[in-house]
Amino acid sequence: MAERKPIESWLTDMDGVLIHEGVPIPGADAFIKKLRESGKPFLVLTNNSIYTARDLHARLRRMGLDVPVENIWTSALATAQFLDDQRPDGSAYVIGEAGLTTALHDIGYVLTDHDPDYVVLGETRTYSFEAMTKAVRLINDGARFIATNPDETGPSAEGALPATGAVAALITKATGKQPYFAGKPNPLMMRTGLNTIGAHSETSAMIGDRMDTDVLAGLEAGMETFLVLTGLTGRAEIEKYPYRPSTVVDSIADLVDRI
């Protein structure tokens, strides 16, 4: 097997890699600092579409992680990029928060519940039965169904929360229509992210805590992959998957010297 080229750019997931329940994971600050000092292109990624990149920059900064706005890439931004490429200046009925609505406004989309081109489903703290019913009827009337990410649950201090993938399944059951998921593990999110920082997959690495999203997305995008054990996938679970990360490490602290 041919040896991989040296890593010149880095993509890393956020939750479970850099932070956990609002607290930085040890080594995350050193990793970001080293990345910024190196001048290498990098992105911090999240499948969560609730927050804008500017919101996330402020939240991370309060935790002591200084990540510039332009180095943050969300499933909402990937979804907006996809829609802008597919159908510029279109319209959408959106279930989601400011991260998603702002991204769609920024590409010139009209947000409407009157004959929209798309129904776009994202993350929200308060999924409304009325909004889901509206989405079902619009999809039945011909709107195309897009979802920001397939994650079925999200973390909270009290335990798992239903997330975009679970609500998408409900809408699919009611309409018979599967959504197109723009976020991880779709390699589209990785490739559009790489394009924004002028990076190439053959010289890029993806760091994540989930085999089914982060590692799979990095693998399918042609990147070197690192699985950290500070998030959802434990060491014992790795063998359950038909694919493997390039490298398994305990935490982000183990990768500081790789930059």
Side-chain angles (χ1 to χ4, degrees):
M1 197 167 90
E3 282 190 29
R4 290 197 64 95
K5 295 181 179 179
I7 298 169
E8 295 175 2
S9 51
W10 293 83
L11 275 65
T12 176
D13 186 40
M14 186 172 68
D15 293 301
V17 179
L18 300 178
I19 62 173
H20 178 67
E21 292 184 3
V23 178
I25 289 170
D29 53 347
F31 183 80
I32 295 297
K33 185 171 183 289
K34 186 93 175 280
L35 266 181
R36 296 194 66 183
E37 288 172 350
S38 75
K40 291 180 178 179
F42 76 96
L43 280 179
V44 171
L45 299 122
T46 178
N47 254 0
N48 191 322
S49 63
I50 288 179
Y51 304 105
T52 65
R54 195 167 60 185
D55 293 335
L56 289 172
H57 162 76
R59 288 165 65 87
L60 289 168
R61 197 167 192 176
R62 284 198 298 272
M63 298 178 208
L65 302 177
D66 195 5
V67 182
V69 172
E70 60 270 21
N71 294 100
I72 296 172
W73 190 243
T74 71
S75 64
L77 293 171
T79 300
Q81 178 70 65
F82 171 74
L83 294 179
D84 195 33
D85 290 341
Q86 290 283 307
R87 191 176 291 263
D89 302 317
S91 60
Y93 175 69
V94 177
I95 299 176
E97 304 266 350
L100 183 56
T101 56
T102 301
L104 292 175
H105 273 304
D106 286 349
I107 61 164
Y109 256 55
V110 173
L111 306 189
T112 179
D113 63 358
H114 178 69
D115 194 25
D117 296 317
Y118 297 97
V119 166
V120 183
L121 174 67
E123 209 75 52
T124 175
R125 301 176 190 84
T126 52
Y127 284 109
S128 151
F129 186 77
E130 182 182 356
M132 287 187 276
T133 301
K134 173 73 75 173
V136 166
R137 291 172 180 168
L138 290 171
I139 291 167
N140 283 337
D141 288 342
R144 300 150 191 87
F145 186 17
I146 303 287
T148 56
N149 65 287
D151 298 52
E152 293 163 355
T153 60
S156 79
E158 293 79 31
L161 294 171
T164 306
V167 178
L170 182 155
I171 294 173
T172 292
K173 200 73 175 173
T175 61
K177 300 288 174 60
Q178 295 277 352
Y180 181 78
F181 291 107
K184 297 176 294 180
N186 189 342
L188 174 87
M189 181 169 174
M190 318 301 281
R191 294 192 181 280
T192 52
L194 288 170
N195 289 342
T196 66
I197 57 172
H200 300 283
S201 59
E202 61 182 2
T203 54
S204 298
M206 173 65 196
I207 310 166
D209 69 307
R210 291 183 63 151
M211 287 288 289
D212 57 345
T213 54
D214 306 319
V215 171
L216 182 57
L219 179 73
E220 293 190 345
M223 302 164 65
E224 189 164 350
T225 56
F226 292 87
L227 178 73
V228 297
L229 301 176
T230 48
L232 286 176
T233 301
R235 192 179 293 276
E237 297 171 72
I238 299 170
E239 293 300 329
K240 296 178 184 176
Y241 292 88
Y243 50 87
R244 292 184 60 82
S246 309
T247 307
V248 180
V249 296
D250 289 330
S251 77
I252 193 73
D254 299 312
L255 296 176
V256 175
D257 292 337
R258 293 288 302 263
I259 297 171

